[in-house]
Amino acid sequence: MIRIDAVLETDGTADFTAWPIAAPAEDGVLALSGQMSPAEVGTAMAIIFCYGEIPTAPINDLHHLLDRHLADAEALLAPGGLRVRDTATKAEIRPGCCCGLENWREWRNLLHKKGIWLGHDPNTDLEYIAGAVRLRQESGPGSPPSPRYEVEVQLDDLPALLTAVHLRLQGFLGLVRQWAGETSPRAADRLIAILDENFEINGPLER
C-alpha cells in the first residue's frame, strides 16, 4: 500500500529552548497530522521558526514576529515536503534538500504528467509508465540503484492519496491552534492564518 505524508526535516532544533519540543526522531523527519503530541507540534513550530531565523521572544508576540519576518521574506518556508512510502516493500522517497512544505500542492501536477521539484541530495527521477508514475531516488554517492528507494504510484490513486495528506494537514493546523492557545494565546488566530496562507492547508484540493 502507498502512503503519502507531509513531513518536516527536524535538523536544527537540537538546541531549541523557547518552548517544549519532542525528542528528535531517529529518521530525522516529523510527519504532520492531527494525531501529533503537543511536544511534536512544538517541534514543528520550532522547525518553522528556526528555518526562517525568526525570533521566538517575546513568546506572546509570535504573530508580530512572524509578520515582521514576512515583511522582508514575503513567504514562510519550511524544510520538507511529501514523503512517499510503500508499506509492502518498505521503499521510501523523501523530500530532497531545498524542497519545502510550501510546495506540497505541486504534486497535483503529476496527474497531468508534468515534472515537479523534489529537491536534490538526493535527487529523485520521475518516470511516467502505463497509468503510473515511478519515483526513483539516489541511494547515495556512487551507490547503485536500490529497490529501497523506488516507489510506483498509480495515477488513479493519487487524488485520494493527496486528499489524505490534505486532511492530515488540516488536522495538524487544528492542533497548532490548541498549542498556540496555551503557548502564545494572543498569537493564535494570526499564527493559524499565516500557516494556512503560506502552506495552503485549507481551501479545495483541485485536480
Side-chain angles (χ1 to χ4, degrees):
M1 185 177 75
I2 301 298
R3 180 182 172 104
I4 303 180
D5 288 291
V7 300
L8 293 176
E9 298 175 6
T10 58
D11 293 344
T13 60
D15 299 324
F16 188 86
T17 59
W19 51 74
I21 64 174
E26 290 185 4
D27 61 359
V29 296
L30 176 66
L32 306 180
S33 75
Q35 306 299 316
M36 300 167 69
S37 69
E40 289 174 328
V41 177
T43 297
M45 298 310 300
I47 293 166
I48 291 169
F49 274 78
C50 289
Y51 189 74
E53 298 182 347
I54 306 165
T56 56
I59 198 167
N60 284 334
D61 288 339
L62 292 183
H63 52 319
H64 293 318
L65 298 170
L66 279 171
D67 279 330
R68 290 171 194 157
H69 170 75
L70 290 171
D72 294 327
E74 298 183 355
L76 199 61
L77 308 176
L82 298 190
R83 176 186 64 189
V84 186
R85 290 184 294 170
D86 186 325
T87 59
T89 66
K90 308 303 182 185
E92 180 177 276
I93 303 293
R94 289 194 189 182
C97 180
C98 298
C99 193
L101 181 65
E102 63 278 0
N103 297 321
W104 74 273
R105 284 178 179 252
E106 290 184 2
W107 278 68
R108 293 173 301 170
N109 291 338
L110 295 180
L111 295 168
H112 307 290
K113 297 186 177 181
K114 296 180 180 179
I116 60 172
W117 170 243
L118 298 172
H120 60 92
D121 283 339
N123 293 313
T124 301
D125 293 326
L126 298 179
E127 180 185 2
Y128 289 100
I129 55 179
V133 59
R134 181 177 294 147
L135 298 94
R136 187 181 293 111
Q137 194 165 73
E138 294 176 347
S139 55
S143 300
S146 168
R148 183 181 172 189
Y149 303 102
E150 183 175 312
V151 176
E152 193 172 296
V153 181
Q154 296 297 312
L155 294 178
D156 285 346
D157 295 339
L158 189 57
L161 291 168
L162 293 179
T163 295
V165 172
H166 192 201
L167 291 173
R168 285 193 284 272
L169 281 171
Q170 290 174 326
F172 162 68
L173 195 63
L175 292 182
V176 173
R177 183 178 291 279
Q178 297 177 27
W179 174 87
E182 297 177 1
T183 305
S184 180
R186 290 194 305 175
D189 288 344
R190 180 58 182 152
L191 185 60
I192 293 300
I194 290 173
L195 293 181
D196 186 18
E197 178 180 351
N198 285 268
F199 299 122
E200 298 186 86
I201 293 175
N202 287 315
L205 185 62
E206 300 173 356
R207 287 194 58 147

